Amino acid sequence: MNIITLGEIDSTNTYAKNNIDTLKDRDVVHALRQTAGRGRLNRSFVDLGENNLFFSIVLKPSQDFRSVYANITQYSCLILCKIFENYGLNAKIKWPNDVMIDGKRKISGILSETVMENNKLKGLIIGIGVNLNADKVSVEAIQGRVVTALNLEIGRAVNPDSFLNEFFEMFFKDYDKLLKCGFELIKSDYVSRNCFLNKDLSVQVLDSVKAGYAKDINNTGELVLVTPENKELVLNIGDIL
């Protein structure tokens, strides 16, 4: 694993996509500042300044896309939860890619992107942002969502390098096993940390909104909704509103 640390750039995911041909499998693009980070649904990712984490992992497991690759986002969420738990926090997952403290305050988000060319997989890019150190005024000024940072939750500053090293140690420990076994490897751990099941939800799926009761996460990591008409919808993409 090679970590490329940059100063201020627009987006680590954009940098990784633009340099996908020269970046190697398991290379990491890490930025001290990120000016145009992106989340899902084209949401902007708020940069709370240095001493937070903005990084993208480049993965090149094969030249063909396999369905298990979609579960890397969920795997990453689970690892982040476990690290936050090591700090004594109650971390929960909001399907498919957000980590929340107490199921209410967002502390981390993930944007996974696939780069294809001529039906061949050039690489997977797992972009991760983690709020490690911020002041209360800054997080309260963010509109449209409730946000927190690790230092605000535990009452002390957090070393970004230590957090990053812990993440990579845990990520690559079972990464190859995940590719072999699929979502079932992490299903019980993932579901036990959810904050969305057994609730009525609205889910943005491309240009439409699906509503229903969140019944289950199936063995491939898809969200199972039961509609008001008592029909089951199985969603492999979407964002809970």
Side-chain angles (χ1 to χ4, degrees):
M1 186 186 72
N2 177 43
I3 300 178
I4 302 165
T5 299
L6 306 171
E8 181 176 290
I9 61 171
D10 53 356
S11 161
T12 58
N13 266 32
T14 299
Y15 181 95
K17 285 194 293 184
N18 291 341
N19 294 276
I20 195 70
D21 290 326
T22 56
L23 291 169
K24 298 177 181 179
D25 180 38
R26 307 193 184 197
D27 276 356
V28 175
V29 179
H30 170 228
L32 300 180
R33 295 293 299 262
Q34 183 170 252
T35 61
R38 295 171 292 114
R40 293 169 69 92
L41 298 180
N42 291 318
R43 298 188 185 100
S44 61
F45 185 87
V46 178
D47 183 347
L48 293 172
E50 292 189 22
N51 294 317
N52 291 283
L53 286 180
F54 322 98
F55 64 97
S56 297
I57 310 169
V58 176
L59 301 171
K60 298 183 177 183
S62 68
Q63 289 190 329
D64 59 306
F65 185 84
R66 297 169 51 201
S67 59
V68 68
Y69 298 159
N71 300 128
I72 298 174
T73 295
Q74 294 161 307
Y75 175 67
S76 301
C77 279
L78 179 60
I79 289 170
L80 287 168
C81 280
K82 290 182 177 181
I83 296 175
F84 291 131
E85 288 166 3
N86 289 341
Y87 283 90
L89 300 181
N90 177 30
K92 297 293 183 182
I93 297 169
K94 178 183 174 185
W95 184 87
N97 70 324
D98 286 340
V99 179
M100 318 289 287
I101 300 302
D102 295 328
K104 300 175 182 178
R105 304 181 296 281
K106 181 175 177 177
I107 195 169
S108 179
I110 300 173
L111 177 65
S112 299
E113 300 185 82
T114 303
V115 183
M116 303 286 294
E117 184 177 27
N118 298 324
N119 295 319
K120 289 187 177 180
L121 176 65
K122 298 190 73 174
L124 306 166
I125 301 171
I126 314 299
I128 299 175
V130 186
N131 299 334
L132 291 186
N133 297 285
D135 61 83
K136 189 175 181 181
V137 173
S138 295
V139 297
E140 290 181 347
I142 298 172
Q143 298 182 356
R145 54 200 138 151
V146 180
V147 176
T148 190
L150 184 52
N151 70 310
L152 298 177
E153 297 292 332
I154 65 174
R156 66 178 189 274
V158 180
N159 185 297
D161 291 336
S162 296
F163 191 100
L164 201 59
N165 290 337
E166 186 174 6
F167 177 86
F168 289 132
E169 181 178 350
M170 294 179 67
F171 182 91
F172 288 113
K173 179 177 181 291
D174 288 324
Y175 166 70
D176 291 317
K177 192 173 182 180
L178 174 77
L179 298 186
K180 180 179 179 180
C181 300
F183 183 72
E184 289 186 75
L185 175 71
I186 63 170
K187 181 180 177 180
S188 61
D189 279 346
Y190 183 90
V191 171
S192 71
R193 292 169 173 83
N194 89 89
C195 63
F196 55 87
L197 288 179
N198 304 314
K199 297 179 180 179
D200 291 320
L201 302 178
S202 294
V203 182
Q204 181 81 44
V205 182
L206 300 177
D207 295 327
S208 64
V209 176
K210 308 295 183 183
Y213 179 78
K215 176 183 177 181
D216 194 15
I217 291 289
N218 66 18
N219 287 338
T220 55
E222 298 165 312
L223 175 62
V224 181
L225 285 185
V226 179
T227 70
E229 297 77 27
N230 205 33
K231 294 182 179 179
E232 284 195 356
L233 288 178
V234 178
L235 305 179
N236 57 15
I237 60 170
D239 288 272
I240 296 174
L241 299 176

PDB file of all heavy atoms in Angstrom, residues 185-220:
ATOM      1  N   LEU A 185     -20.164 -12.380   4.769  1.00  0.00           N
ATOM      2  CA  LEU A 185     -19.057 -12.333   5.728  1.00  0.00           C
ATOM      3  C   LEU A 185     -19.308 -11.283   6.804  1.00  0.00           C
ATOM      4  O   LEU A 185     -18.937 -11.476   7.964  1.00  0.00           O
ATOM      5  CB  LEU A 185     -17.749 -12.018   4.993  1.00  0.00           C
ATOM      6  CG  LEU A 185     -16.516 -11.815   5.869  1.00  0.00           C
ATOM      7  CD1 LEU A 185     -16.065 -13.141   6.468  1.00  0.00           C
ATOM      8  CD2 LEU A 185     -15.374 -11.173   5.072  1.00  0.00           C
ATOM      9  N   ILE A 186     -19.942 -10.174   6.433  1.00  0.00           N
ATOM     10  CA  ILE A 186     -20.107  -9.048   7.357  1.00  0.00           C
ATOM     11  C   ILE A 186     -21.564  -8.762   7.699  1.00  0.00           C
ATOM     12  O   ILE A 186     -21.853  -7.824   8.446  1.00  0.00           O
ATOM     13  CB  ILE A 186     -19.479  -7.759   6.769  1.00  0.00           C
ATOM     14  CG1 ILE A 186     -20.185  -7.344   5.467  1.00  0.00           C
ATOM     15  CG2 ILE A 186     -17.983  -7.947   6.554  1.00  0.00           C
ATOM     16  CD1 ILE A 186     -19.793  -5.980   4.955  1.00  0.00           C
ATOM     17  N   LYS A 187     -22.485  -9.557   7.184  1.00  0.00           N
ATOM     18  CA  LYS A 187     -23.905  -9.219   7.313  1.00  0.00           C
ATOM     19  C   LYS A 187     -24.344  -9.027   8.762  1.00  0.00           C
ATOM     20  O   LYS A 187     -24.994  -8.021   9.098  1.00  0.00           O
ATOM     21  CB  LYS A 187     -24.773 -10.283   6.648  1.00  0.00           C
ATOM     22  CG  LYS A 187     -26.265  -9.957   6.746  1.00  0.00           C
ATOM     23  CD  LYS A 187     -27.141 -11.014   6.090  1.00  0.00           C
ATOM     24  CE  LYS A 187     -28.612 -10.673   6.275  1.00  0.00           C
ATOM     25  NZ  LYS A 187     -29.499 -11.681   5.652  1.00  0.00           N
ATOM     26  N   SER A 188     -24.015  -9.953   9.627  1.00  0.00           N
ATOM     27  CA  SER A 188     -24.507  -9.857  11.008  1.00  0.00           C
ATOM     28  C   SER A 188     -23.950  -8.624  11.704  1.00  0.00           C
ATOM     29  O   SER A 188     -24.673  -7.915  12.423  1.00  0.00           O
ATOM     30  CB  SER A 188     -24.158 -11.123  11.797  1.00  0.00           C
ATOM     31  OG  SER A 188     -22.745 -11.308  11.857  1.00  0.00           O
ATOM     32  N   ASP A 189     -22.658  -8.337  11.494  1.00  0.00           N
ATOM     33  CA  ASP A 189     -22.050  -7.145  12.091  1.00  0.00           C
ATOM     34  C   ASP A 189     -22.664  -5.875  11.519  1.00  0.00           C
ATOM     35  O   ASP A 189     -22.888  -4.898  12.243  1.00  0.00           O
ATOM     36  CB  ASP A 189     -20.540  -7.136  11.842  1.00  0.00           C
ATOM     37  CG  ASP A 189     -19.779  -8.007  12.826  1.00  0.00           C
ATOM     38  OD1 ASP A 189     -20.376  -8.402  13.845  1.00  0.00           O
ATOM     39  OD2 ASP A 189     -18.598  -8.288  12.583  1.00  0.00           O
ATOM     40  N   TYR A 190     -22.920  -5.880  10.224  1.00  0.00           N
ATOM     41  CA  TYR A 190     -23.493  -4.702   9.558  1.00  0.00           C
ATOM     42  C   TYR A 190     -24.911  -4.443  10.055  1.00  0.00           C
ATOM     43  O   TYR A 190     -25.257  -3.326  10.454  1.00  0.00           O
ATOM     44  CB  TYR A 190     -23.477  -4.917   8.048  1.00  0.00           C
ATOM     45  CG  TYR A 190     -23.973  -3.744   7.229  1.00  0.00           C
ATOM     46  CD1 TYR A 190     -23.099  -2.761   6.786  1.00  0.00           C
ATOM     47  CD2 TYR A 190     -25.311  -3.633   6.887  1.00  0.00           C
ATOM     48  CE1 TYR A 190     -23.554  -1.685   6.030  1.00  0.00           C
ATOM     49  CE2 TYR A 190     -25.779  -2.565   6.142  1.00  0.00           C
ATOM     50  CZ  TYR A 190     -24.889  -1.600   5.706  1.00  0.00           C
ATOM     51  OH  TYR A 190     -25.358  -0.528   4.964  1.00  0.00           O
ATOM     52  N   VAL A 191     -25.733  -5.476  10.049  1.00  0.00           N
ATOM     53  CA  VAL A 191     -27.135  -5.323  10.447  1.00  0.00           C
ATOM     54  C   VAL A 191     -27.238  -4.922  11.914  1.00  0.00           C
ATOM     55  O   VAL A 191     -28.098  -4.107  12.292  1.00  0.00           O
ATOM     56  CB  VAL A 191     -27.920  -6.616  10.167  1.00  0.00           C
ATOM     57  CG1 VAL A 191     -29.313  -6.554  10.780  1.00  0.00           C
ATOM     58  CG2 VAL A 191     -28.029  -6.851   8.659  1.00  0.00           C
ATOM     59  N   SER A 192     -26.368  -5.446  12.756  1.00  0.00           N
ATOM     60  CA  SER A 192     -26.434  -5.120  14.190  1.00  0.00           C
ATOM     61  C   SER A 192     -26.128  -3.652  14.462  1.00  0.00           C
ATOM     62  O   SER A 192     -26.458  -3.151  15.543  1.00  0.00           O
ATOM     63  CB  SER A 192     -25.469  -6.008  14.980  1.00  0.00           C
ATOM     64  OG  SER A 192     -24.117  -5.654  14.718  1.00  0.00           O
ATOM     65  N   ARG A 193     -25.536  -2.977  13.486  1.00  0.00           N
ATOM     66  CA  ARG A 193     -25.185  -1.562  13.661  1.00  0.00           C
ATOM     67  C   ARG A 193     -26.055  -0.632  12.813  1.00  0.00           C
ATOM     68  O   ARG A 193     -25.718   0.537  12.632  1.00  0.00           O
ATOM     69  CB  ARG A 193     -23.703  -1.343  13.330  1.00  0.00           C
ATOM     70  CG  ARG A 193     -22.769  -1.995  14.348  1.00  0.00           C
ATOM     71  CD  ARG A 193     -21.335  -1.987  13.848  1.00  0.00           C
ATOM     72  NE  ARG A 193     -20.398  -2.443  14.866  1.00  0.00           N
ATOM     73  CZ  ARG A 193     -20.133  -3.716  15.134  1.00  0.00           C
ATOM     74  NH1 ARG A 193     -20.761  -4.678  14.459  1.00  0.00           N
ATOM     75  NH2 ARG A 193     -19.259  -4.047  16.069  1.00  0.00           N
ATOM     76  N   ASN A 194     -27.165  -1.130  12.316  1.00  0.00           N
ATOM     77  CA  ASN A 194     -28.012  -0.306  11.447  1.00  0.00           C
ATOM     78  C   ASN A 194     -28.863   0.668  12.267  1.00  0.00           C
ATOM     79  O   ASN A 194     -29.148   0.445  13.439  1.00  0.00           O
ATOM     80  CB  ASN A 194     -28.916  -1.192  10.587  1.00  0.00           C
ATOM     81  CG  ASN A 194     -30.232  -1.502  11.270  1.00  0.00           C
ATOM     82  OD1 ASN A 194     -31.204  -0.758  11.137  1.00  0.00           O
ATOM     83  ND2 ASN A 194     -30.260  -2.603  12.033  1.00  0.00           N
ATOM     84  N   CYS A 195     -29.291   1.754  11.593  1.00  0.00           N
ATOM     85  CA  CYS A 195     -30.231   2.684  12.225  1.00  0.00           C
ATOM     86  C   CYS A 195     -31.412   2.955  11.300  1.00  0.00           C
ATOM     87  O   CYS A 195     -32.032   4.016  11.370  1.00  0.00           O
ATOM     88  CB  CYS A 195     -29.540   3.993  12.606  1.00  0.00           C
ATOM     89  SG  CYS A 195     -28.897   4.946  11.227  1.00  0.00           S
ATOM     90  N   PHE A 196     -31.726   1.971  10.431  1.00  0.00           N
ATOM     91  CA  PHE A 196     -32.766   2.211   9.431  1.00  0.00           C
ATOM     92  C   PHE A 196     -33.795   1.091   9.319  1.00  0.00           C
ATOM     93  O   PHE A 196     -34.888   1.324   8.786  1.00  0.00           O
ATOM     94  CB  PHE A 196     -32.129   2.443   8.052  1.00  0.00           C
ATOM     95  CG  PHE A 196     -31.209   1.314   7.622  1.00  0.00           C
ATOM     96  CD1 PHE A 196     -31.690   0.207   6.966  1.00  0.00           C
ATOM     97  CD2 PHE A 196     -29.852   1.388   7.886  1.00  0.00           C
ATOM     98  CE1 PHE A 196     -30.851  -0.826   6.584  1.00  0.00           C
ATOM     99  CE2 PHE A 196     -28.997   0.363   7.512  1.00  0.00           C
ATOM    100  CZ  PHE A 196     -29.504  -0.748   6.850  1.00  0.00           C
ATOM    101  N   LEU A 197     -33.501  -0.093   9.801  1.00  0.00           N
ATOM    102  CA  LEU A 197     -34.448  -1.200   9.656  1.00  0.00           C
ATOM    103  C   LEU A 197     -35.637  -1.035  10.601  1.00  0.00           C
ATOM    104  O   LEU A 197     -35.570  -0.342  11.605  1.00  0.00           O
ATOM    105  CB  LEU A 197     -33.749  -2.529   9.928  1.00  0.00           C
ATOM    106  CG  LEU A 197     -32.773  -3.010   8.851  1.00  0.00           C
ATOM    107  CD1 LEU A 197     -32.127  -4.327   9.270  1.00  0.00           C
ATOM    108  CD2 LEU A 197     -33.450  -3.146   7.492  1.00  0.00           C
ATOM    109  N   ASN A 198     -36.738  -1.684  10.216  1.00  0.00           N
ATOM    110  CA  ASN A 198     -37.979  -1.679  10.995  1.00  0.00           C
ATOM    111  C   ASN A 198     -38.554  -0.268  11.133  1.00  0.00           C
ATOM    112  O   ASN A 198     -39.127   0.082  12.173  1.00  0.00           O
ATOM    113  CB  ASN A 198     -37.758  -2.314  12.370  1.00  0.00           C
ATOM    114  CG  ASN A 198     -37.195  -3.715  12.259  1.00  0.00           C
ATOM    115  OD1 ASN A 198     -37.667  -4.519  11.464  1.00  0.00           O
ATOM    116  ND2 ASN A 198     -36.180  -4.009  13.047  1.00  0.00           N
ATOM    117  N   LYS A 199     -38.387   0.512  10.072  1.00  0.00           N
ATOM    118  CA  LYS A 199     -38.916   1.874  10.033  1.00  0.00           C
ATOM    119  C   LYS A 199     -39.552   2.124   8.668  1.00  0.00           C
ATOM    120  O   LYS A 199     -39.211   1.468   7.687  1.00  0.00           O
ATOM    121  CB  LYS A 199     -37.812   2.903  10.267  1.00  0.00           C
ATOM    122  CG  LYS A 199     -37.138   2.836  11.624  1.00  0.00           C
ATOM    123  CD  LYS A 199     -36.041   3.879  11.718  1.00  0.00           C
ATOM    124  CE  LYS A 199     -35.337   3.838  13.066  1.00  0.00           C
ATOM    125  NZ  LYS A 199     -34.238   4.841  13.138  1.00  0.00           N
ATOM    126  N   ASP A 200     -40.458   3.086   8.618  1.00  0.00           N
ATOM    127  CA  ASP A 200     -40.986   3.556   7.336  1.00  0.00           C
ATOM    128  C   ASP A 200     -39.981   4.537   6.743  1.00  0.00           C
ATOM    129  O   ASP A 200     -39.581   5.509   7.394  1.00  0.00           O
ATOM    130  CB  ASP A 200     -42.344   4.235   7.516  1.00  0.00           C
ATOM    131  CG  ASP A 200     -43.430   3.247   7.907  1.00  0.00           C
ATOM    132  OD1 ASP A 200     -43.438   2.128   7.352  1.00  0.00           O
ATOM    133  OD2 ASP A 200     -44.268   3.584   8.770  1.00  0.00           O
ATOM    134  N   LEU A 201     -39.568   4.264   5.494  1.00  0.00           N
ATOM    135  CA  LEU A 201     -38.526   5.060   4.855  1.00  0.00           C
ATOM    136  C   LEU A 201     -38.967   5.597   3.502  1.00  0.00           C
ATOM    137  O   LEU A 201     -39.844   5.019   2.843  1.00  0.00           O
ATOM    138  CB  LEU A 201     -37.266   4.217   4.624  1.00  0.00           C
ATOM    139  CG  LEU A 201     -36.586   3.557   5.813  1.00  0.00           C
ATOM    140  CD1 LEU A 201     -35.395   2.754   5.325  1.00  0.00           C
ATOM    141  CD2 LEU A 201     -36.142   4.604   6.831  1.00  0.00           C
ATOM    142  N   SER A 202     -38.331   6.687   3.095  1.00  0.00           N
ATOM    143  CA  SER A 202     -38.384   7.156   1.718  1.00  0.00           C
ATOM    144  C   SER A 202     -36.957   7.079   1.194  1.00  0.00           C
ATOM    145  O   SER A 202     -36.019   7.563   1.835  1.00  0.00           O
ATOM    146  CB  SER A 202     -38.899   8.590   1.641  1.00  0.00           C
ATOM    147  OG  SER A 202     -40.251   8.659   2.046  1.00  0.00           O
ATOM    148  N   VAL A 203     -36.792   6.460   0.031  1.00  0.00           N
ATOM    149  CA  VAL A 203     -35.460   6.235  -0.518  1.00  0.00           C
ATOM    150  C   VAL A 203     -35.391   6.833  -1.915  1.00  0.00           C
ATOM    151  O   VAL A 203     -36.216   6.512  -2.782  1.00  0.00           O
ATOM    152  CB  VAL A 203     -35.127   4.720  -0.583  1.00  0.00           C
ATOM    153  CG1 VAL A 203     -33.713   4.521  -1.114  1.00  0.00           C
ATOM    154  CG2 VAL A 203     -35.272   4.086   0.797  1.00  0.00           C
ATOM    155  N   GLN A 204     -34.419   7.703  -2.127  1.00  0.00           N
ATOM    156  CA  GLN A 204     -34.193   8.276  -3.453  1.00  0.00           C
ATOM    157  C   GLN A 204     -33.455   7.245  -4.294  1.00  0.00           C
ATOM    158  O   GLN A 204     -32.344   6.837  -3.977  1.00  0.00           O
ATOM    159  CB  GLN A 204     -33.345   9.546  -3.350  1.00  0.00           C
ATOM    160  CG  GLN A 204     -33.076  10.232  -4.680  1.00  0.00           C
ATOM    161  CD  GLN A 204     -34.243  11.089  -5.130  1.00  0.00           C
ATOM    162  OE1 GLN A 204     -34.813  11.826  -4.327  1.00  0.00           O
ATOM    163  NE2 GLN A 204     -34.611  10.996  -6.395  1.00  0.00           N
ATOM    164  N   VAL A 205     -34.084   6.814  -5.393  1.00  0.00           N
ATOM    165  CA  VAL A 205     -33.481   5.861  -6.318  1.00  0.00           C
ATOM    166  C   VAL A 205     -33.442   6.511  -7.692  1.00  0.00           C
ATOM    167  O   VAL A 205     -34.475   6.634  -8.359  1.00  0.00           O
ATOM    168  CB  VAL A 205     -34.258   4.539  -6.365  1.00  0.00           C
ATOM    169  CG1 VAL A 205     -33.569   3.558  -7.310  1.00  0.00           C
ATOM    170  CG2 VAL A 205     -34.392   3.932  -4.975  1.00  0.00           C
ATOM    171  N   LEU A 206     -32.272   6.971  -8.083  1.00  0.00           N
ATOM    172  CA  LEU A 206     -32.119   7.717  -9.333  1.00  0.00           C
ATOM    173  C   LEU A 206     -33.084   8.896  -9.328  1.00  0.00           C
ATOM    174  O   LEU A 206     -32.990   9.757  -8.468  1.00  0.00           O
ATOM    175  CB  LEU A 206     -32.314   6.782 -10.532  1.00  0.00           C
ATOM    176  CG  LEU A 206     -31.323   5.594 -10.610  1.00  0.00           C
ATOM    177  CD1 LEU A 206     -31.637   4.696 -11.791  1.00  0.00           C
ATOM    178  CD2 LEU A 206     -29.889   6.086 -10.658  1.00  0.00           C
ATOM    179  N   ASP A 207     -34.040   8.936 -10.256  1.00  0.00           N
ATOM    180  CA  ASP A 207     -34.939  10.094 -10.356  1.00  0.00           C
ATOM    181  C   ASP A 207     -36.284   9.881  -9.671  1.00  0.00           C
ATOM    182  O   ASP A 207     -37.208  10.688  -9.857  1.00  0.00           O
ATOM    183  CB  ASP A 207     -35.180  10.439 -11.832  1.00  0.00           C
ATOM    184  CG  ASP A 207     -33.915  10.905 -12.525  1.00  0.00           C
ATOM    185  OD1 ASP A 207     -33.079  11.534 -11.852  1.00  0.00           O
ATOM    186  OD2 ASP A 207     -33.760  10.636 -13.731  1.00  0.00           O
ATOM    187  N   SER A 208     -36.414   8.827  -8.904  1.00  0.00           N
ATOM    188  CA  SER A 208     -37.693   8.564  -8.240  1.00  0.00           C
ATOM    189  C   SER A 208     -37.482   8.303  -6.757  1.00  0.00           C
ATOM    190  O   SER A 208     -36.363   8.048  -6.305  1.00  0.00           O
ATOM    191  CB  SER A 208     -38.402   7.371  -8.884  1.00  0.00           C
ATOM    192  OG  SER A 208     -37.646   6.182  -8.697  1.00  0.00           O
ATOM    193  N   VAL A 209     -38.581   8.370  -6.004  1.00  0.00           N
ATOM    194  CA  VAL A 209     -38.539   8.107  -4.572  1.00  0.00           C
ATOM    195  C   VAL A 209     -39.401   6.879  -4.275  1.00  0.00           C
ATOM    196  O   VAL A 209     -40.567   6.823  -4.683  1.00  0.00           O
ATOM    197  CB  VAL A 209     -39.050   9.313  -3.762  1.00  0.00           C
ATOM    198  CG1 VAL A 209     -39.101   8.978  -2.272  1.00  0.00           C
ATOM    199  CG2 VAL A 209     -38.157  10.529  -3.990  1.00  0.00           C
ATOM    200  N   LYS A 210     -38.810   5.908  -3.593  1.00  0.00           N
ATOM    201  CA  LYS A 210     -39.516   4.697  -3.201  1.00  0.00           C
ATOM    202  C   LYS A 210     -39.816   4.779  -1.704  1.00  0.00           C
ATOM    203  O   LYS A 210     -38.937   5.124  -0.909  1.00  0.00           O
ATOM    204  CB  LYS A 210     -38.674   3.451  -3.489  1.00  0.00           C
ATOM    205  CG  LYS A 210     -38.140   3.367  -4.918  1.00  0.00           C
ATOM    206  CD  LYS A 210     -39.241   3.232  -5.944  1.00  0.00           C
ATOM    207  CE  LYS A 210     -38.646   3.072  -7.347  1.00  0.00           C
ATOM    208  NZ  LYS A 210     -39.702   3.002  -8.384  1.00  0.00           N
ATOM    209  N   ALA A 211     -41.049   4.460  -1.347  1.00  0.00           N
ATOM    210  CA  ALA A 211     -41.447   4.512   0.065  1.00  0.00           C
ATOM    211  C   ALA A 211     -41.878   3.132   0.527  1.00  0.00           C
ATOM    212  O   ALA A 211     -42.456   2.346  -0.234  1.00  0.00           O
ATOM    213  CB  ALA A 211     -42.584   5.513   0.256  1.00  0.00           C
ATOM    214  N   GLY A 212     -41.596   2.828   1.783  1.00  0.00           N
ATOM    215  CA  GLY A 212     -42.016   1.550   2.319  1.00  0.00           C
ATOM    216  C   GLY A 212     -41.408   1.281   3.680  1.00  0.00           C
ATOM    217  O   GLY A 212     -40.678   2.107   4.246  1.00  0.00           O
ATOM    218  N   TYR A 213     -41.706   0.112   4.199  1.00  0.00           N
ATOM    219  CA  TYR A 213     -41.208  -0.329   5.499  1.00  0.00           C
ATOM    220  C   TYR A 213     -39.907  -1.098   5.288  1.00  0.00           C
ATOM    221  O   TYR A 213     -39.846  -2.039   4.479  1.00  0.00           O
ATOM    222  CB  TYR A 213     -42.250  -1.220   6.163  1.00  0.00           C
ATOM    223  CG  TYR A 213     -41.856  -1.770   7.506  1.00  0.00           C
ATOM    224  CD1 TYR A 213     -41.913  -0.982   8.655  1.00  0.00           C
ATOM    225  CD2 TYR A 213     -41.424  -3.087   7.635  1.00  0.00           C
ATOM    226  CE1 TYR A 213     -41.556  -1.493   9.887  1.00  0.00           C
ATOM    227  CE2 TYR A 213     -41.067  -3.610   8.866  1.00  0.00           C
ATOM    228  CZ  TYR A 213     -41.139  -2.805   9.991  1.00  0.00           C
ATOM    229  OH  TYR A 213     -40.781  -3.314  11.210  1.00  0.00           O
ATOM    230  N   ALA A 214     -38.849  -0.690   5.973  1.00  0.00           N
ATOM    231  CA  ALA A 214     -37.542  -1.325   5.817  1.00  0.00           C
ATOM    232  C   ALA A 214     -37.543  -2.668   6.539  1.00  0.00           C
ATOM    233  O   ALA A 214     -37.391  -2.729   7.758  1.00  0.00           O
ATOM    234  CB  ALA A 214     -36.444  -0.428   6.349  1.00  0.00           C
ATOM    235  N   LYS A 215     -37.705  -3.720   5.779  1.00  0.00           N
ATOM    236  CA  LYS A 215     -37.882  -5.055   6.352  1.00  0.00           C
ATOM    237  C   LYS A 215     -36.565  -5.769   6.647  1.00  0.00           C
ATOM    238  O   LYS A 215     -36.407  -6.411   7.683  1.00  0.00           O
ATOM    239  CB  LYS A 215     -38.714  -5.904   5.394  1.00  0.00           C
ATOM    240  CG  LYS A 215     -38.889  -7.353   5.819  1.00  0.00           C
ATOM    241  CD  LYS A 215     -39.662  -8.141   4.762  1.00  0.00           C
ATOM    242  CE  LYS A 215     -39.780  -9.620   5.125  1.00  0.00           C
ATOM    243  NZ  LYS A 215     -40.510 -10.383   4.067  1.00  0.00           N
ATOM    244  N   ASP A 216     -35.594  -5.602   5.740  1.00  0.00           N
ATOM    245  CA  ASP A 216     -34.422  -6.470   5.870  1.00  0.00           C
ATOM    246  C   ASP A 216     -33.287  -5.953   4.989  1.00  0.00           C
ATOM    247  O   ASP A 216     -33.484  -5.131   4.092  1.00  0.00           O
ATOM    248  CB  ASP A 216     -34.795  -7.892   5.434  1.00  0.00           C
ATOM    249  CG  ASP A 216     -33.776  -8.940   5.841  1.00  0.00           C
ATOM    250  OD1 ASP A 216     -32.920  -8.639   6.703  1.00  0.00           O
ATOM    251  OD2 ASP A 216     -33.834 -10.054   5.295  1.00  0.00           O
ATOM    252  N   ILE A 217     -32.097  -6.468   5.274  1.00  0.00           N
ATOM    253  CA  ILE A 217     -30.961  -6.408   4.369  1.00  0.00           C
ATOM    254  C   ILE A 217     -30.699  -7.850   3.946  1.00  0.00           C
ATOM    255  O   ILE A 217     -30.509  -8.725   4.791  1.00  0.00           O
ATOM    256  CB  ILE A 217     -29.709  -5.830   5.058  1.00  0.00           C
ATOM    257  CG1 ILE A 217     -29.907  -4.351   5.366  1.00  0.00           C
ATOM    258  CG2 ILE A 217     -28.481  -6.010   4.183  1.00  0.00           C
ATOM    259  CD1 ILE A 217     -29.907  -3.453   4.154  1.00  0.00           C
ATOM    260  N   ASN A 218     -30.717  -8.114   2.638  1.00  0.00           N
ATOM    261  CA  ASN A 218     -30.571  -9.499   2.197  1.00  0.00           C
ATOM    262  C   ASN A 218     -29.102  -9.920   2.172  1.00  0.00           C
ATOM    263  O   ASN A 218     -28.208  -9.161   2.547  1.00  0.00           O
ATOM    264  CB  ASN A 218     -31.269  -9.736   0.856  1.00  0.00           C
ATOM    265  CG  ASN A 218     -30.625  -8.972  -0.294  1.00  0.00           C
ATOM    266  OD1 ASN A 218     -29.481  -8.523  -0.214  1.00  0.00           O
ATOM    267  ND2 ASN A 218     -31.359  -8.819  -1.388  1.00  0.00           N
ATOM    268  N   ASN A 219     -28.850 -11.131   1.690  1.00  0.00           N
ATOM    269  CA  ASN A 219     -27.505 -11.701   1.777  1.00  0.00           C
ATOM    270  C   ASN A 219     -26.501 -11.079   0.813  1.00  0.00           C
ATOM    271  O   ASN A 219     -25.311 -11.420   0.854  1.00  0.00           O
ATOM    272  CB  ASN A 219     -27.550 -13.212   1.554  1.00  0.00           C
ATOM    273  CG  ASN A 219     -28.131 -13.940   2.748  1.00  0.00           C
ATOM    274  OD1 ASN A 219     -28.128 -13.431   3.869  1.00  0.00           O
ATOM    275  ND2 ASN A 219     -28.636 -15.148   2.525  1.00  0.00           N
ATOM    276  N   THR A 220     -26.977 -10.189  -0.065  1.00  0.00           N
ATOM    277  CA  THR A 220     -26.052  -9.483  -0.945  1.00  0.00           C
ATOM    278  C   THR A 220     -25.965  -7.989  -0.601  1.00  0.00           C
ATOM    279  O   THR A 220     -25.381  -7.203  -1.343  1.00  0.00           O
ATOM    280  CB  THR A 220     -26.443  -9.658  -2.425  1.00  0.00           C
ATOM    281  OG1 THR A 220     -27.800  -9.249  -2.614  1.00  0.00           O
ATOM    282  CG2 THR A 220     -26.291 -11.103  -2.853  1.00  0.00           C
TER     283      THR A 220
END
